[in-house]
Coordinates of all heavy atoms in Angstrom, one line a residue:
K112 N 14.9 -15.9 -28.0 CA 15.0 -14.6 -27.4 C 14.3 -14.6 -26.0 O 14.8 -14.1 -25.0 CB 14.5 -13.6 -28.3 CG 14.7 -12.1 -27.8 CD 14.4 -11.0 -28.8 CE 14.7 -9.7 -28.1 NZ 14.3 -8.6 -29.0
L113 N 13.1 -15.1 -26.0 CA 12.3 -15.2 -24.7 C 13.0 -16.1 -23.7 O 13.0 -15.8 -22.5 CB 10.9 -15.7 -24.9 CG 10.0 -14.7 -25.7 CD1 8.6 -15.4 -25.9 CD2 9.9 -13.4 -25.0
D114 N 13.7 -17.2 -24.2 CA 14.5 -18.1 -23.3 C 15.6 -17.2 -22.7 O 15.9 -17.4 -21.5 CB 15.0 -19.2 -24.1 CG 15.6 -20.3 -23.1 OD1 14.9 -20.8 -22.2 OD2 16.8 -20.6 -23.3
A115 N 16.3 -16.4 -23.4 CA 17.4 -15.6 -22.9 C 16.8 -14.6 -21.9 O 17.4 -14.4 -20.8 CB 18.0 -14.8 -24.1
L116 N 15.6 -14.1 -22.1 CA 15.0 -13.2 -21.1 C 14.7 -14.0 -19.8 O 15.0 -13.5 -18.7 CB 13.7 -12.6 -21.7 CG 12.8 -11.7 -20.8 CD1 13.6 -10.5 -20.3 CD2 11.6 -11.3 -21.6
A117 N 14.0 -15.2 -20.0 CA 13.7 -16.0 -18.8 C 15.0 -16.4 -18.0 O 15.1 -16.2 -16.8 CB 12.9 -17.2 -19.1
T118 N 16.0 -16.8 -18.7 CA 17.3 -17.2 -18.1 C 17.9 -16.0 -17.3 O 18.4 -16.2 -16.2 CB 18.3 -17.7 -19.1 OG1 17.6 -18.9 -19.8 CG2 19.6 -18.2 -18.6
F119 N 17.9 -14.8 -18.0 CA 18.5 -13.7 -17.3 C 17.6 -13.3 -16.1 O 18.2 -13.0 -15.0 CB 18.5 -12.5 -18.3 CG 19.1 -11.2 -17.7 CD1 20.4 -11.1 -17.4 CD2 18.3 -10.2 -17.4 CE1 21.0 -10.0 -16.9 CE2 18.8 -8.9 -16.9 CZ 20.2 -8.9 -16.6
T120 N 16.3 -13.4 -16.2 CA 15.5 -13.1 -15.0 C 15.7 -14.0 -13.9 O 15.8 -13.6 -12.7 CB 14.0 -13.0 -15.4 OG1 13.8 -12.1 -16.5 CG2 13.1 -12.7 -14.2
H121 N 15.7 -15.3 -14.2 CA 16.1 -16.3 -13.1 C 17.4 -16.0 -12.5 O 17.5 -16.1 -11.2 CB 16.1 -17.8 -13.7 CG 14.8 -18.4 -14.0 ND1 13.9 -18.7 -13.1 CD2 14.2 -18.7 -15.2 CE1 12.8 -19.2 -13.6 NE2 13.0 -19.3 -15.0
A122 N 18.4 -15.7 -13.3 CA 19.7 -15.3 -12.7 C 19.6 -14.1 -11.8 O 20.3 -14.1 -10.8 CB 20.7 -15.1 -13.8
M123 N 18.9 -13.1 -12.3 CA 18.7 -11.8 -11.4 C 18.2 -12.2 -10.1 O 18.7 -11.7 -9.1 CB 17.8 -10.9 -12.1 CG 18.3 -10.1 -13.3 SD 19.6 -9.0 -12.8 CE 18.7 -7.9 -11.8
V124 N 17.2 -13.1 -10.0 CA 16.6 -13.4 -8.7 C 17.5 -14.3 -7.9 O 17.8 -14.1 -6.8 CB 15.2 -14.1 -8.9 CG1 14.7 -14.6 -7.6 CG2 14.3 -13.2 -9.5
E125 N 18.0 -15.3 -8.6 CA 18.9 -16.3 -8.0 C 20.2 -15.7 -7.4 O 20.6 -16.0 -6.3 CB 19.2 -17.5 -8.8 CG 20.1 -18.6 -8.3 CD 20.3 -19.6 -9.2 OE1 20.7 -19.3 -10.4 OE2 20.3 -20.8 -8.9
Q126 N 20.7 -14.8 -8.2 CA 22.0 -14.2 -7.8 C 21.8 -12.8 -7.1 O 22.8 -12.1 -6.9 CB 22.9 -14.0 -9.0 CG 23.3 -15.4 -9.6 CD 23.9 -15.3 -10.9 OE1 24.5 -14.3 -11.3 NE2 23.8 -16.3 -11.7
R127 N 20.6 -12.5 -6.8 CA 20.3 -11.3 -6.0 C 20.8 -10.0 -6.8 O 21.4 -9.1 -6.2 CB 20.8 -11.3 -4.6 CG 20.1 -12.5 -3.8 CD 20.5 -12.5 -2.4 NE 19.6 -13.5 -1.8 CZ 20.1 -14.2 -0.7 NH1 21.2 -13.8 -0.1 NH2 19.3 -15.1 -0.2
G128 N 20.6 -10.0 -8.1 CA 21.0 -8.9 -8.9 C 22.5 -8.8 -9.3 O 22.8 -7.9 -10.1
K129 N 23.3 -9.7 -8.8 CA 24.7 -9.7 -9.1 C 25.0 -10.5 -10.5 O 25.8 -11.4 -10.4 CB 25.5 -10.3 -8.0 CG 25.3 -9.4 -6.7 CD 26.2 -10.0 -5.6 CE 25.8 -9.2 -4.3 NZ 26.4 -9.8 -3.2
V130 N 24.3 -10.1 -11.5 CA 24.5 -10.9 -12.8 C 25.5 -10.1 -13.7 O 25.3 -9.0 -14.0 CB 23.1 -10.9 -13.5 CG1 23.2 -11.6 -14.8 CG2 22.0 -11.6 -12.6
T131 N 26.5 -10.8 -14.0 CA 27.6 -10.2 -14.9 C 28.0 -11.3 -15.8 O 27.5 -12.5 -15.7 CB 28.7 -9.7 -14.1 OG1 29.3 -10.8 -13.3 CG2 28.4 -8.5 -13.1
G132 N 29.0 -11.0 -16.6 CA 29.6 -12.0 -17.4 C 28.7 -12.7 -18.4 O 27.9 -12.0 -19.1
I133 N 28.7 -14.0 -18.5 CA 28.0 -14.8 -19.5 C 26.5 -14.5 -19.5 O 25.9 -14.3 -20.5 CB 28.3 -16.3 -19.4 CG1 29.8 -16.5 -19.7 CG2 27.4 -17.1 -20.3 CD1 30.3 -17.9 -19.5
A134 N 25.9 -14.5 -18.3 CA 24.4 -14.3 -18.3 C 24.0 -12.9 -18.9 O 23.0 -12.9 -19.7 CB 23.9 -14.5 -16.8
L135 N 24.8 -11.9 -18.5 CA 24.5 -10.5 -19.0 C 24.8 -10.5 -20.6 O 24.0 -10.0 -21.4 CB 25.2 -9.5 -18.3 CG 25.0 -8.1 -18.7 CD1 23.6 -7.7 -18.6 CD2 25.9 -7.1 -17.8
D136 N 26.0 -11.1 -20.9 CA 26.4 -11.1 -22.3 C 25.4 -11.8 -23.2 O 25.0 -11.3 -24.3 CB 27.7 -11.7 -22.4 CG 28.9 -10.9 -21.8 OD1 28.7 -9.7 -21.5 OD2 30.0 -11.5 -21.6
N137 N 24.8 -12.9 -22.7 CA 23.9 -13.7 -23.5 C 22.6 -12.9 -23.6 O 21.9 -13.0 -24.7 CB 23.6 -15.1 -22.8 CG 24.8 -16.0 -23.0 OD1 25.7 -15.8 -23.9 ND2 24.8 -17.1 -22.3
F138 N 22.2 -12.2 -22.6 CA 21.0 -11.4 -22.7 C 21.1 -10.4 -23.8 O 20.2 -10.2 -24.6 CB 20.6 -10.8 -21.3 CG 19.4 -10.0 -21.2 CD1 18.2 -10.6 -21.3 CD2 19.5 -8.6 -21.0 CE1 17.0 -9.9 -21.2 CE2 18.3 -7.9 -21.0 CZ 17.1 -8.5 -21.1
I139 N 22.2 -9.6 -23.7 CA 22.5 -8.6 -24.7 C 22.6 -9.2 -26.1 O 22.0 -8.6 -27.1 CB 23.7 -7.8 -24.3 CG1 23.6 -7.1 -23.0 CG2 24.0 -6.8 -25.5 CD1 22.5 -6.0 -22.9
A140 N 23.3 -10.3 -26.2 CA 23.5 -11.0 -27.5 C 22.1 -11.4 -28.1 O 22.0 -11.5 -29.3 CB 24.4 -12.1 -27.4
A141 N 21.2 -11.7 -27.3 CA 19.9 -12.2 -27.8 C 19.0 -11.0 -28.4 O 18.0 -11.2 -29.0 CB 19.1 -12.8 -26.6
G142 N 19.6 -9.8 -28.2 CA 18.9 -8.6 -28.9 C 18.3 -7.7 -27.9 O 17.6 -6.7 -28.3
Y143 N 18.6 -7.9 -26.6 CA 18.0 -6.9 -25.6 C 19.0 -5.8 -25.4 O 20.2 -5.9 -25.6 CB 17.7 -7.6 -24.3 CG 16.5 -8.5 -24.5 CD1 16.7 -9.9 -24.6 CD2 15.2 -8.0 -24.5 CE1 15.6 -10.8 -24.7 CE2 14.1 -8.8 -24.6 CZ 14.3 -10.2 -24.7 OH 13.2 -11.0 -24.9
S144 N 18.5 -4.6 -25.0 CA 19.4 -3.5 -24.7 C 19.8 -3.3 -23.3 O 19.2 -4.0 -22.3 CB 18.6 -2.2 -25.2 OG 17.5 -2.0 -24.3
R145 N 20.7 -2.4 -23.0 CA 21.0 -2.1 -21.6 C 19.9 -1.5 -20.9 O 19.6 -1.7 -19.7 CB 22.3 -1.2 -21.6 CG 23.5 -1.9 -22.0 CD 24.8 -1.1 -21.9 NE 24.7 0.2 -22.6 CZ 25.0 0.4 -23.8 NH1 25.4 -0.6 -24.6 NH2 24.9 1.6 -24.3
A146 N 19.0 -0.8 -21.6 CA 17.9 -0.1 -20.9 C 16.9 -1.3 -20.5 O 16.3 -1.2 -19.5 CB 17.1 0.8 -21.9
Q147 N 16.8 -2.4 -21.3 CA 16.0 -3.5 -21.0 C 16.5 -4.3 -19.8 O 15.7 -5.0 -19.1 CB 15.7 -4.3 -22.2 CG 14.8 -3.6 -23.2 CD 14.6 -4.3 -24.5 OE1 15.6 -4.8 -25.1 NE2 13.4 -4.2 -25.0
V148 N 17.9 -4.2 -19.6 CA 18.4 -4.8 -18.4 C 17.7 -4.2 -17.2 O 17.3 -4.8 -16.2 CB 20.0 -4.7 -18.4 CG1 20.5 -5.1 -17.0 CG2 20.6 -5.5 -19.4
M149 N 17.7 -2.8 -17.2 CA 17.2 -2.0 -16.1 C 15.6 -2.3 -16.0 O 15.1 -2.4 -14.8 CB 17.3 -0.5 -16.2 CG 18.8 -0.1 -16.2 SD 19.6 -0.5 -14.6 CE 20.6 -1.8 -15.0
E150 N 14.9 -2.5 -17.1 CA 13.5 -2.9 -17.1 C 13.3 -4.2 -16.4 O 12.3 -4.4 -15.7 CB 13.0 -2.7 -18.5 CG 12.9 -1.3 -19.0 CD 12.6 -1.1 -20.4 OE1 12.4 -2.1 -21.2 OE2 12.5 0.0 -20.9
V151 N 14.1 -5.1 -16.7 CA 14.0 -6.4 -16.0 C 14.2 -6.3 -14.5 O 13.4 -6.8 -13.7 CB 15.0 -7.4 -16.5 CG1 15.1 -8.8 -15.7 CG2 14.7 -7.9 -18.0
V152 N 15.1 -5.4 -14.1 CA 15.3 -5.1 -12.7 C 14.0 -4.6 -12.1 O 13.6 -4.9 -11.0 CB 16.5 -4.1 -12.4 CG1 16.5 -3.7 -10.9 CG2 17.8 -4.8 -12.8
L153 N 13.3 -3.7 -12.8 CA 12.0 -3.1 -12.4 C 11.0 -4.2 -12.2 O 10.3 -4.3 -11.2 CB 11.5 -2.1 -13.3 CG 10.2 -1.4 -12.9 CD1 10.3 -0.6 -11.6 CD2 9.8 -0.5 -14.1
G154 N 10.9 -5.2 -13.1 CA 10.0 -6.3 -13.1 C 10.2 -7.2 -11.9 O 9.4 -7.7 -11.2
V155 N 11.5 -7.4 -11.7 CA 12.0 -8.3 -10.5 C 11.6 -7.6 -9.2 O 11.2 -8.2 -8.3 CB 13.5 -8.6 -10.7 CG1 14.0 -9.2 -9.3 CG2 13.7 -9.6 -11.8
T156 N 11.8 -6.2 -9.2 CA 11.4 -5.5 -8.0 C 10.0 -5.6 -7.7 O 9.6 -5.9 -6.5 CB 11.8 -4.0 -8.2 OG1 13.2 -3.9 -8.4 CG2 11.3 -3.2 -7.0
M157 N 9.1 -5.6 -8.7 CA 7.7 -5.6 -8.5 C 7.3 -7.1 -8.0 O 6.5 -7.2 -7.0 CB 7.0 -5.4 -9.9 CG 5.5 -5.6 -9.9 SD 4.9 -5.5 -11.6 CE 3.2 -6.1 -11.4
K158 N 7.9 -8.1 -8.5 CA 7.7 -9.4 -8.1 C 8.3 -9.8 -6.8 O 7.7 -10.6 -6.0 CB 8.0 -10.5 -9.2 CG 7.1 -10.5 -10.4 CD 5.7 -11.0 -9.9 CE 4.7 -9.9 -9.6 NZ 3.4 -10.3 -9.2
T159 N 9.4 -9.2 -6.4 CA 10.0 -9.4 -5.1 C 9.0 -8.9 -4.1 O 8.8 -9.6 -3.1 CB 11.4 -8.7 -5.0 OG1 12.2 -9.3 -6.0 CG2 12.0 -8.9 -3.6
L160 N 8.4 -7.7 -4.3 CA 7.5 -7.1 -3.3 C 6.3 -8.1 -3.2 O 5.9 -8.5 -2.1 CB 7.0 -5.8 -3.8 CG 5.9 -5.1 -3.0 CD1 6.2 -5.0 -1.6 CD2 5.5 -3.8 -3.7
S161 N 5.7 -8.5 -4.3 CA 4.5 -9.3 -4.2 C 4.8 -10.7 -3.7 O 4.1 -11.3 -2.9 CB 3.7 -9.4 -5.5 OG 4.4 -10.0 -6.5
N162 N 5.9 -11.3 -4.2 CA 6.2 -12.7 -3.8 C 6.5 -12.8 -2.3 O 6.0 -13.6 -1.6 CB 7.4 -13.2 -4.6 CG 7.2 -13.4 -6.1 OD1 8.2 -13.5 -6.9 ND2 6.0 -13.3 -6.6
Y163 N 7.3 -11.9 -1.9 CA 7.8 -12.0 -0.4 C 6.5 -11.6 0.4 O 6.3 -12.3 1.5 CB 8.9 -10.9 -0.1 CG 10.2 -11.3 -0.6 CD1 10.4 -12.3 -1.5 CD2 11.3 -10.7 -0.1 CE1 11.7 -12.7 -2.0 CE2 12.6 -11.1 -0.6 CZ 12.8 -12.1 -1.5 OH 14.0 -12.4 -1.9
A164 N 5.7 -10.6 0.0 CA 4.5 -10.3 0.8 C 3.6 -11.5 0.9 O 3.0 -11.8 1.9 CB 3.8 -9.1 0.3
N165 N 3.4 -12.1 -0.3 CA 2.5 -13.3 -0.3 C 3.0 -14.5 0.6 O 2.2 -15.2 1.1 CB 2.2 -13.7 -1.7 CG 1.0 -14.7 -1.7 OD1 -0.1 -14.4 -1.1 ND2 1.2 -15.9 -2.1
H166 N 4.3 -14.6 0.6 CA 4.9 -15.6 1.5 C 4.4 -15.4 2.9 O 4.3 -16.4 3.7 CB 6.4 -15.7 1.4 CG 6.9 -16.3 0.2 ND1 6.3 -17.2 -0.6 CD2 7.9 -15.9 -0.6 CE1 7.0 -17.4 -1.7 NE2 8.0 -16.6 -1.7
I167 N 4.2 -14.2 3.4 CA 3.8 -13.8 4.7 C 2.2 -13.8 4.8 O 1.6 -14.4 5.7 CB 4.4 -12.4 5.1 CG1 5.9 -12.5 5.2 CG2 3.7 -12.0 6.4 CD1 6.5 -11.1 5.3
I168 N 1.6 -13.3 3.8 CA 0.1 -13.2 3.8 C -0.6 -14.5 3.6 O -1.6 -14.7 4.2 CB -0.3 -12.1 2.7 CG1 0.1 -10.7 3.0 CG2 -1.9 -12.2 2.6 CD1 0.0 -9.7 1.9
H169 N 0.0 -15.3 2.7 CA -0.6 -16.6 2.3 C -2.1 -16.4 1.8 O -3.0 -17.0 2.1 CB -0.7 -17.6 3.5 CG 0.6 -17.9 4.1 ND1 1.5 -18.7 3.5 CD2 1.1 -17.5 5.3 CE1 2.6 -18.8 4.3 NE2 2.4 -18.1 5.4

Side-chain angles (χ1 to χ4, degrees):
K112 187 173 182 184
L113 291 178
D114 187 60
L116 175 60
T118 300
F119 182 70
T120 304
H121 284 294
M123 284 293 299
V124 175
E125 182 182 42
Q126 297 171 22
R127 297 183 178 154
K129 297 177 185 173
V130 181
T131 58
I133 293 172
L135 181 58
D136 293 344
N137 288 344
F138 182 70
I139 299 293
Y143 289 102
S144 69
R145 290 185 305 276
Q147 288 170 320
V148 170
M149 296 296 105
E150 292 171 354
V151 171
V152 173
L153 181 63
V155 169
T156 299
M157 177 185 170
K158 284 295 94 185
T159 300
L160 173 59
S161 65
N162 296 164
Y163 285 17
N165 192 55
H166 292 323
I167 295 167
I168 295 169
H169 301 288

